[in-house]
Amino acid sequence: MADSRLGLNELEAVLAVARRASFRQAAIDLDVSTTALSNTIAKLEASLETRLFNRTTRSVSLTEAGALYLEQVGPALQDVRTALEAVRSHNAGPTGTLRINAFASAARATLMPLVLEFLQRYPHVHIDMVTEGRLVDIVAGGFDLGVRSANLVPSDMIVIPLGAPQRYAVVGTPGYFEQHGRPRTPADLLRHACIRIRLPNGAIYPWQFERAGEVTRLDVAGPLTLDEPGVVKAAVQAGVGLGFFMEQDVRAEIEAGQFERVLEGWTPPLERLCLYYPNRRNPSAALKAFTALARVHLAGKGDRVECPA
């Protein structure tokens, strides 16, 4: 007969392995050995009398039963964490850990100034930030907060806009344009060397443009396909070809004259980035403090945006 007396360690272990799809990476997150983590999962599976993970020498993935287990346990575990943090911080102020999921460019340019100010104000809170390109369910993934474009935020979340609207930017070096000329329309890019972008799911990201309601998506061609903006930037700096970035990631290089921008009239403002989180009955003191500071940052920029309380 299965033993239903499970502790937080077992639940945290399942969540970490599912999130990382790797026992080694999950063990690092949990600050335990890979062997200890593997034994914890094995004991839990024996207790439940079902396998939660498919394991091969190259990959780890949830079984159907594991996915169902995580769907039920993830939100419940977050409620337990929240309750514990609320008790701990009742007299001492914000403490504990806040887990945030964001994509890398948002973390660098928009979120980090807020995080750094928060840590100065509340030194007893630890921020655990995970940056990844894929969209995740922050509740099932065990995150307190997420950052993504406004149009991608689930409708049942509380939303706080962050920063100014974003834009795409197509850039190259002055030397590249001197040798190859400047594209005047998106279609001209088909005659240029462009550095293609691979998404986390393996798909190639089409370069997107819009003007006067006309939307264009191009499958560009070129000598390189890369999956990390910093590496793409290095390739552009080397004169390999043109790059497609979020404007904030290359603003410094444009202002310094290292990069020149083209097709600016075809890259209108996009949806704003938003910090979002679930509406919980008893949010932790740390979560309340972080979202309050985020609203202060929003008000400080002179924005007039109504946010749920």
Side-chain angles (χ1 to χ4, degrees), residues 24-154:
R24 185 175 66 84
Q25 292 296 327
I28 293 172
D29 288 348
L30 296 173
D31 195 23
V32 299
S33 70
T34 303
T35 300
L37 178 59
S38 181
N39 289 339
T40 297
I41 295 295
K43 289 177 182 178
L44 176 58
E45 290 177 326
S47 175
L48 296 173
E49 298 178 353
T50 189
R51 184 173 291 278
L52 300 176
F53 293 97
N54 294 313
R55 305 168 178 80
T56 71
T57 56
R58 299 188 174 206
S59 66
V60 177
S61 62
L62 285 166
T63 63
E64 184 176 349
L68 178 62
Y69 182 82
L70 188 63
E71 181 182 345
Q72 298 297 320
V73 166
L77 180 58
Q78 189 59 44
D79 287 339
V80 172
R81 286 177 181 150
T82 299
L84 291 174
E85 294 302 336
V87 172
R88 289 186 186 121
S89 61
H90 181 67
N91 294 321
T95 60
T97 297
L98 281 179
R99 301 194 68 248
I100 305 174
N101 184 278
F103 57 92
S105 62
R108 282 193 302 268
T110 304
L111 192 56
M112 279 307 295
L114 177 61
V115 167
L116 295 176
E117 181 175 344
F118 178 82
L119 291 176
Q120 289 180 341
R121 295 189 181 200
Y122 305 102
H124 298 298
V125 179
H126 176 82
I127 300 292
D128 181 2
M129 188 185 306
V130 175
T131 57
E132 51 191 332
R134 67 188 181 95
L135 297 178
V136 301
D137 181 336
I138 62 168
V139 176
F143 294 98
D144 299 287
L145 302 140
V147 177
R148 67 175 67 166
S149 297
N151 60 317
L152 299 176
V153 175

Side-chain angles (χ1 to χ4, degrees), residues 173-246:
T173 61
Y176 176 91
F177 291 124
E178 183 178 348
Q179 183 176 356
H180 300 284
R182 302 169 69 89
R184 303 298 177 184
T185 69
D188 293 341
L189 292 171
L190 299 177
R191 298 190 293 273
H192 283 264
C194 298
I195 299 169
R196 303 197 309 164
I197 305 165
R198 181 185 294 110
L199 297 172
N201 65 3
I204 301 301
Y205 185 74
W207 292 18
Q208 301 183 42
F209 302 94
E210 180 180 350
R211 189 170 71 174
E214 178 186 351
V215 177
T216 302
R217 292 181 175 85
L218 286 180
D219 291 320
V220 296
L224 277 175
T225 300
L226 301 171
D227 63 0
E228 203 285 315
V231 182
V232 177
K233 188 184 295 187
V236 173
Q237 288 173 329
V240 172
L242 304 181
F244 189 76
F245 298 90
M246 297 307 300

